[in-house]
């Protein structure tokens, strides 16, 4: 990608309080999002220059979008272009701010008297606000959004599209909440926006996600808040106060980079009773790759060489890396039960059943002695998913891929239903 100085900028498409959007004539379907050194609050009732904010915000947004894209969330982000700008897919923005809340605070308390600050929403609380500065961004219902009969980028915004944005907002919040928890930070709430890709006509996460977009409380303590609320709460804007705000923004920008790496690394170890089962095991390894989980393949027979089976098992127990064992053995499956009876690590049996004896062979994986916690999953893809779900409990990047896959499956079903209904009409 060309450097910022080499990019040929077209006309300015839009300018907001904190950014400018430029056309890129040499990259059809793309725009440049240029951040500004301005910080605002209360629909720009308060606004100040904060030197370096453009670079801080751009660094934060770029990292957040990379995290979400790696998980499988569809976004407009293409890549960081310079310290203060990034390239994005050209979208027509849907003028709705989607707000997801885990903890009650801020404007929610004013609109819902009697609710105490700190009330925890489970599931999360979802709200939407129509972007209208003149009327202070009024809160809207789903019904108002549907009845507005908007059309952006050639896409009519109806029930299907509203549901997709609603579901996506919750998934995006939960992915970032899980990520911030690794830094002992509570993601209190967050606002995001969606746009319609003018080329593909699909809804994607767009705009920016930076320290203006959320409330973030280290250790769950509001007094330690690091987000823009600190600027909103200033009694008087002084050079010293602005330096404090800037330090908070820098702190968040630095911490966001840590979210791109997991603090724990796990793996799946597939033990097969024979190389005749290799194709079955390769499917498990391929599916593990989708979730970003390393997968090792080994050959051993619990019937013919139990000592070697236990030696291999001990090899992976000895280095402290979180491990899920998957046993692949046909006919009489001794591999899964033997492993399960000799390790505290999780064991999944995934027998390669055959049409002739499969109905009988499967019982050696299902009917086990007491004291064994070996689970049985027949599908290689599902076995990998089950292992990823175990490892995802301590690895937010694996969990993010699982959560995004859930969302994308739901979206594909929603869109298929919409298409079918249109055909029936």
């Amino acid at each position: 990608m060309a450097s910022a100085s080499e990019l040929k900028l077209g006309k300015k498409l839009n300018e907001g309080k904190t950014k400018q959007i430029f056309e890129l004539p040499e990259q059809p379907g793309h725009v440049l999002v240029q951040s500004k050194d301005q910080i605002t609050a209360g629909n720009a009732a308060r606004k100040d220059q904060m030197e370096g904010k453009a670079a801080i915000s751009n660094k934060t947004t770029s990292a957040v979008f990379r995290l979400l894209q790696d998980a499988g969330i569809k976004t407009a982000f293409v890549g960081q272009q310079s310290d203060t700008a990034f390239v994005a897919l050209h979208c027509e923005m849907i003028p709705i701010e989607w707000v997801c809340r885990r903890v009650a605070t801020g404007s929610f308390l004013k609109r819902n008297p009697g609710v105490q600050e700190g009330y925890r929403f489970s599931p999360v609380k979802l709200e939407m606000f129509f972007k209208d500065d003149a009327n202070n961004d009024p809160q809207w219902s789903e019904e108002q959004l549907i009845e507005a009969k908007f059309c952006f980028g050639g896409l009519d915004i109806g029930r299907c599209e509203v549901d997709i944005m609603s579901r996506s907002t919750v998934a995006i919040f939960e992915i970032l909440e899980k990520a911030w928890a690794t830094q002992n930070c509570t993601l209190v709430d967050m606002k995001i926006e969606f746009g319609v890709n003018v080329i593909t006509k699909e809804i994607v996460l767009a705009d920016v996600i930076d320290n203006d977009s959320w409330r973030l409380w280290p250790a769950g303590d509001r007094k330690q808040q690091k987000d823009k609320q600190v600027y909103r709460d200033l009694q008087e804007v002084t050079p010293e106060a602005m330096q404090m705000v800037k330090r908070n923004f820098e702190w968040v920008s630095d911490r966001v980079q840590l979210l791109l790496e997991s603090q724990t690394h796990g793996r799946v170890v597939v033990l097969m009773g024979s190389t005749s089962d290799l194709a079955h095991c390769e499917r498990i390894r391929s599916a593990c790759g989708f979730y970003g989980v390393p997968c090792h393949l080994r050959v051993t027979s619990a019937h013919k060489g139990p000592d070697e089976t236990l030696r291999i098992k001990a090899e992976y127990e000895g280095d402290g890396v979180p491990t899920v064992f998957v046993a692949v053995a046909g006919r009489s499956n001794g591999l899964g039960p033997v492993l399960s009876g000799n390790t505290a690590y999780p064991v999944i049996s995934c027998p390669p059943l055959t049409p002739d004896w499969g109905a009988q062979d499967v019982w050696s994986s299902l009917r086990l002695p007491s004291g064994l916690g070996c689970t049985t999953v027949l599908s290689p893809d599902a076995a990998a998913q089950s292992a990823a779900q175990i490892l995802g409990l301590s690895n937010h990047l694996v969990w993010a891929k699982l959560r995004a896959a859930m969302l994308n499956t739901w979206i594909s079903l929603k869109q298929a239903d919409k298409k079918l209904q249109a055909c029936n009409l």
Side-chain angles (χ1 to χ4, degrees):
M1 188 176 292
S3 68
S5 60
E6 296 172 335
L7 270 182
K8 181 179 179 181
L9 298 184
K11 65 180 180 180
K12 185 191 297 183
L13 299 174
N14 196 11
E15 181 167 5
K17 295 185 283 287
T18 60
K19 59 186 176 295
Q20 299 170 309
I21 313 295
F22 293 96
E23 187 180 51
L24 294 176
E26 295 179 348
Q27 299 183 37
H30 295 76
V31 297
L32 185 76
V33 182
Q34 175 69 56
S35 294
K36 297 157 66 173
D37 278 346
Q38 182 165 273
I39 184 170
T40 69
N43 279 333
R46 166 183 283 181
K47 59 182 177 180
D48 292 281
Q49 291 297 112
M50 190 170 86
E51 184 180 357
K53 179 180 181 291
I56 296 168
S57 295
N58 189 56
K59 181 182 176 183
T60 301
T61 285
S62 296
V64 171
F65 275 117
R66 287 201 302 272
L67 172 65
L68 293 171
Q69 278 189 333
D70 288 347
I73 299 294
K74 292 183 179 179
T75 83
F77 181 80
V78 174
Q80 185 171 343
Q81 185 61 42
S82 68
D83 287 346
T84 59
F86 68 89
V87 173
L89 300 173
H90 186 189
C91 296
E92 280 195 31
M93 297 301 297
I94 301 168
I96 295 290
E97 281 188 349
W98 292 84
V99 176
C100 199
R101 303 181 186 275
R102 178 63 78 186
V103 179
T105 190
S107 66
F108 184 88
L109 302 180
K110 297 177 183 178
R111 288 181 283 108
N112 296 273
V115 178
Q116 297 298 310
E117 182 170 53
Y119 181 92
R120 188 171 179 85
F121 300 111
S122 295
V124 292
K125 174 70 69 174
L126 190 64
E127 299 176 313
M128 68 178 80
F129 298 85
F130 178 57
K131 289 174 67 67
D132 180 3
D133 287 348
N135 291 296
N136 295 315
D137 298 345
Q139 185 174 4
W140 270 23
S141 66
E142 289 187 352
E143 292 75 19
Q144 285 175 290
L145 179 52
I146 293 169
E147 285 299 306
K149 301 188 185 307
F150 286 136
C151 180
F152 297 103
L155 180 68
D156 293 328
I157 306 302
R159 166 53 65 186
C160 176
E161 291 69 33
V162 171
D163 287 349
I164 287 172
M165 288 186 284
S166 173
R167 286 278 184 138
S168 297
T169 299
V170 173
I172 290 163
F173 179 89
E174 290 178 350
I175 288 170
L176 293 177
E177 177 186 43
K178 192 86 168 179
W180 274 115
T182 66
Q183 301 300 311
N184 192 28
C185 289
T186 298
L187 183 60
V188 174
D189 52 37
M190 181 185 70
K191 62 179 181 180
I192 58 176
E193 297 180 35
F194 295 91
V196 178
N197 185 326
V198 297
I199 303 297
T200 65
K201 303 188 187 310
E202 66 178 340
I203 292 176
V204 295
L205 175 66
D207 196 50
V208 299
I209 300 179
D210 58 19
N211 210 31
D212 293 11
S213 307
W214 52 36
R215 286 185 175 90
L216 196 61
W217 296 353
D221 183 2
R222 187 182 189 278
K223 295 177 182 177
Q224 298 183 48
Q225 61 189 357
K226 296 292 185 180
D227 51 82
K228 195 174 76 169
Q229 191 63 40
V230 174
Y231 173 72
R232 296 188 188 101
D233 291 343
L234 290 178
Q235 296 296 316
E236 181 181 1
V237 178
T238 64
E240 293 76 19
M242 290 303 296
Q243 281 300 311
M244 177 188 66
V245 173
K246 183 178 180 180
R247 285 194 298 272
N248 285 341
F249 274 58
E250 290 173 332
W251 186 92
V252 170
S253 182
D254 290 340
R255 291 301 188 283
V256 165
Q257 309 306 310
L258 301 178
L259 306 185
L260 299 174
E261 298 290 337
S262 176
Q263 296 176 348
T264 62
H265 298 280
R267 67 189 168 208
V268 170
V269 177
V270 179
L271 294 94
M272 68 191 87
S274 166
T275 53
S276 63
D277 300 326
L278 184 58
H280 190 83
C281 297
E282 287 287 5
R283 285 186 59 189
I284 298 173
R285 179 156 66 178
S286 176
C288 285
F290 174 81
Y291 300 110
V293 176
C295 180
H296 302 184
L297 304 185
R298 302 295 296 266
V299 180
T300 183
S301 171
H303 287 120
K304 303 170 185 177
D307 54 338
E308 179 64 7
T309 297
L310 296 180
R311 189 201 65 78
I312 293 174
K313 181 265 309 178
E315 177 184 331
Y316 290 101
E317 289 177 319
D319 59 10
V321 176
T323 301
V324 177
F325 292 106
V326 178
V328 176
R331 297 188 181 180
S332 177
N333 174 21
L335 195 52
V338 167
L339 283 170
S340 182
N342 288 275
T343 183
Y345 285 32
V347 177
I348 300 169
S349 284
C350 186
L353 302 181
T354 59
D356 49 358
W357 286 96
Q360 288 75 33
D361 291 345
V362 72
W363 286 105
S364 63
S365 297
L366 298 176
R367 182 78 170 161
L368 305 180
S370 62
L372 302 186
C374 183
T375 59
T376 297
V377 181
L378 300 184
S379 162
D381 292 340
Q385 180 181 347
S386 181
Q389 289 172 330
I390 294 169
L391 297 171
L393 294 173
S394 59
N395 185 320
H396 71 281
L397 298 181
V398 173
W399 191 92
K401 289 179 183 293
L402 288 160
R403 186 64 181 88
M406 283 176 52
L407 171 68
N408 291 332
T409 297
W410 186 90
I411 290 175
S412 67
L413 291 170
K414 189 76 177 179
Q415 291 173 330
D417 181 60
K418 178 187 176 183
K419 186 176 180 179
L420 182 60
Q421 290 183 68
C423 291
N424 291 337
L425 293 176

